[in-house]
C-alpha cells in the first residue's frame, strides 16, 4: 500500500525483542517463562511445541521486518512482523501479528516455518 504509515518505533522495538526471544526459546538458549509477558498463552504453547520437535543446533535471528496494519484511525495499533532465522544450517521463516493494548504491545499470532 503506497500510503501505508510507518510502524511506530515502539512496535518495531517490541517485534524485534519478542521474536528474538521466541527464537532463543526454540534455540534453546532462553527459558520459555520469559515469553509469557510478550505473547498470548496459546502462543507460549505453540513455541513450546515447536521447541520440543527433535532438532539440533542453536537458532539465530537473521532479520526482522515490521509493517503497519491499516489503523482505521490516526494511530497504528497493530502490525505484521516477518522474520527469518537459521538453525542447523537451514533458514526458517516466522510471521507474527502484534497489537497494542493498554499502552503495551503483545504478540497475538505466530507462525513458525
Amino acid at each position: 500500500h503506497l500510503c501505508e504509515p510507518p510502524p511506530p518505533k515502539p512496535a518495531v522495538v517490541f517485534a524485534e525483542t519478542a521474536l528474538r526471544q521466541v527464537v532463543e526459546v526454540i534455540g534453546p538458549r532462553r527459558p520459555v517463562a520469559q515469553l509469557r509477558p510478550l505473547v498470548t498463552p496459546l502462543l507460549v504453547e505453540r513455541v513450546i511445541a515447536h521447541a520440543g520437535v527433535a532438532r539440533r543446533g542453536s537458532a539465530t535471528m537473521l532479520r526482522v521486518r515490521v509493517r503497519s496494519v491499516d489503523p482505521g484511525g490516526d494511530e497504528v495499533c497493530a502490525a505484521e512482523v516477518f522474520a527469518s532465522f537459521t538453525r542447523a544450517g537451514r533458514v526458517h521463516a516466522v510471521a507474527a501479528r502484534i497489537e497494542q493494548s493498554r499502552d503495551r504491545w503483545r504478540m497475538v499470532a505466530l507462525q513458525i516455518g
Side-chain angles (χ1 to χ4, degrees), residues 15-60:
E16 290 172 349
T17 300
L19 279 182
R20 189 168 312 281
Q21 289 189 19
V22 165
V23 167
E24 288 175 359
V25 167
I26 292 169
R29 295 185 309 236
R30 179 180 294 273
V32 72
Q34 292 182 9
L35 289 181
R36 295 192 195 286
L38 305 175
V39 304
T40 63
L42 177 64
L43 297 184
V44 170
E45 297 305 317
R46 186 171 292 164
V47 173
I48 290 169
H50 195 80
V53 175
R55 292 193 175 142
R56 298 182 187 269
S58 64
T60 304

Side-chain angles (χ1 to χ4, degrees), residues 34-95:
Q34 292 182 9
L35 289 181
R36 295 192 195 286
L38 305 175
V39 304
T40 63
L42 177 64
L43 297 184
V44 170
E45 297 305 317
R46 186 171 292 164
V47 173
I48 290 169
H50 195 80
V53 175
R55 292 193 175 142
R56 298 182 187 269
S58 64
T60 304
M61 183 69 67
L62 294 176
R63 64 182 57 155
V64 178
R65 299 284 183 258
V66 181
R67 178 180 173 268
S68 295
V69 175
D70 181 26
D74 292 339
E75 214 174 298
V76 173
C77 54
E80 295 172 340
V81 184
F82 313 94
S84 58
F85 67 95
T86 60
R87 182 166 190 188
R90 302 182 86 190
V91 177
H92 300 271
V94 180

